[in-house]
Amino acid sequence: FNISWALFRIYIGLSIAIGAGFPKMSNISAPGWFVDQVRTLGFTFPSPAFWAAMAAWGEFVGGLCIALGFFTRFSALQLAFQFFVVAFIWYDNPMPMLGMYYQQLLFWGFVLITFAGSGRYAIDEWIMNRKPTPAVTKNFAAAMLLMIAFLSSSSFIQQPNEPIITASELKLLNGKWKGTLTYRDYTSGKSETIHVIVNGSRKGNKQSDRSWSLQFAYPQEPGHETTDELTVSADGGMINEATLTEKTKLPDGTLRVVLESSGKDGNDHKPCTIKKVIVLSEKNLTITKLVRFDGETDFLERNQYNLSR
C-alpha cells in the first residue's frame, strides 16, 4: 500500500508541478494572461497579481512538495482549494459529482492526500522519525519565512501596462455573420466590394482552448472559401504572430483590439508593418487590415470586413 501510495503521490505532484505550474514560471509574479484570468474570477484584493503569483507558485512548489512528501498535507490543502475554484467555479456549467473534468479528478486527489498524508516513503515521515537539532529547526524556519516573504512581496509588483487578452473575451465571434468585404486592388488602385459570409467557432469545447476559427465564404466568388485561425498566446500578449498593442472595452461592451506584425504586402511583396483592427460587439464585427510599407510614414487601408447578424 505504501509503495502504491508513494507512486500516486509522485504522479499527481509532478503532474501539477510540470503540467500547470512550470509554464507559469516565465514571470516571477505570474504571467499577464493568468493575472487577467484570476481578475475575472473576482480575486482582486489585495491585487489579482498577488493571488495569481500565489496560485502559480502553489502549483509548482506545492506539486513538487507533494511528489517529495514534504509539507504534504499543507501543499495538498492549498491545491485542493485552487482546484475547487477551477473545477466548480471557473467552468461555465460545472457538474459537481458526474463531471468528467480532469480538474475535478485532481481536486479529489488533493482532498484525499490532505486527509491521508504522505505515507511511509516521504520526507515528512523521515523528519517525524528523527530529532532535529535546535539549530537546524531554527535555520529551516527562518528560510521558510524568508521565502514566503519574498514570494509575497514580489507578487505585489504590478505587471507592465501592456494589454493582454484571453480567448474567452473573443466569445462573441461565435456564430454566423453576413456583410461585405471592401479591398484595395493594387493594380487599378480602386476599391472593390463583395458580399461575404463568416462562420465563427471556438476550436475545442473547453475554456482553456485558445483558438478561434473564422470560415469565410464569398457567394459571388464560389470556390474561394478561406479559413482564418486566431490563436491567443499563453501570456495573452499575442494573437497568432501579431503583437497586441491595444485593447479597449467600451461602455456598451464593444471590444476593440489592435494587432501589429511585420510582413510583406502588395503585388511586389514589399516588406511592411501590418496592423489589424478588430471591433467586436454582440451584433457587429469589423476587421480592418492596414499596411505601412517600410520607409513610409502612413498606414493605408488594405481591406475591411463589415459584418453583422
Side-chain angles (χ1 to χ4, degrees), residues 97-113:
M97 294 303 297
L98 302 178
M100 295 296 291
Y101 303 140
Y102 179 57
Q103 289 83 354
Q104 288 192 19
L105 185 61
L106 286 171
F107 164 73
W108 290 114
F110 293 133
V111 169
L112 183 62
I113 294 173

Side-chain angles (χ1 to χ4, degrees), residues 168-179:
S168 295
E169 291 181 277
L170 300 175
K171 62 183 178 181
L172 292 179
L173 288 173
N174 191 58
K176 186 174 183 179
W177 301 85
K178 294 182 178 181

Side-chain angles (χ1 to χ4, degrees), residues 124-192:
D124 286 342
E125 182 73 9
W126 176 74
I127 292 175
M128 293 295 292
N129 289 326
R130 69 185 297 273
K131 187 176 180 181
T133 63
V136 171
T137 304
K138 181 179 179 181
N139 292 338
F140 177 76
M144 289 299 295
L145 288 174
L146 181 61
M147 184 180 75
I148 292 171
F150 170 72
L151 293 179
S152 299
S153 61
S154 66
S155 65
F156 278 103
I157 299 174
Q158 295 298 311
Q159 304 294 324
N161 292 322
E162 297 177 354
I164 56 174
I165 193 168
T166 62
S168 295
E169 291 181 277
L170 300 175
K171 62 183 178 181
L172 292 179
L173 288 173
N174 191 58
K176 186 174 183 179
W177 301 85
K178 294 182 178 181
T180 60
L181 164 63
T182 300
Y183 63 93
R184 179 188 294 269
D185 188 321
Y186 280 145
T187 301
S188 64
K190 296 181 180 179
S191 294
E192 304 286 344

Side-chain angles (χ1 to χ4, degrees), residues 36 39-40 164-166 168-172 246-257 280:
D36 195 52
R39 183 185 295 108
T40 62
I164 56 174
I165 193 168
T166 62
S168 295
E169 291 181 277
L170 300 175
K171 62 183 178 181
L172 292 179
E246 180 185 336
K247 186 188 81 170
T248 306
K249 285 189 177 180
L250 304 179
D252 63 356
T254 299
L255 175 67
R256 184 177 187 272
V257 172
L280 175 63

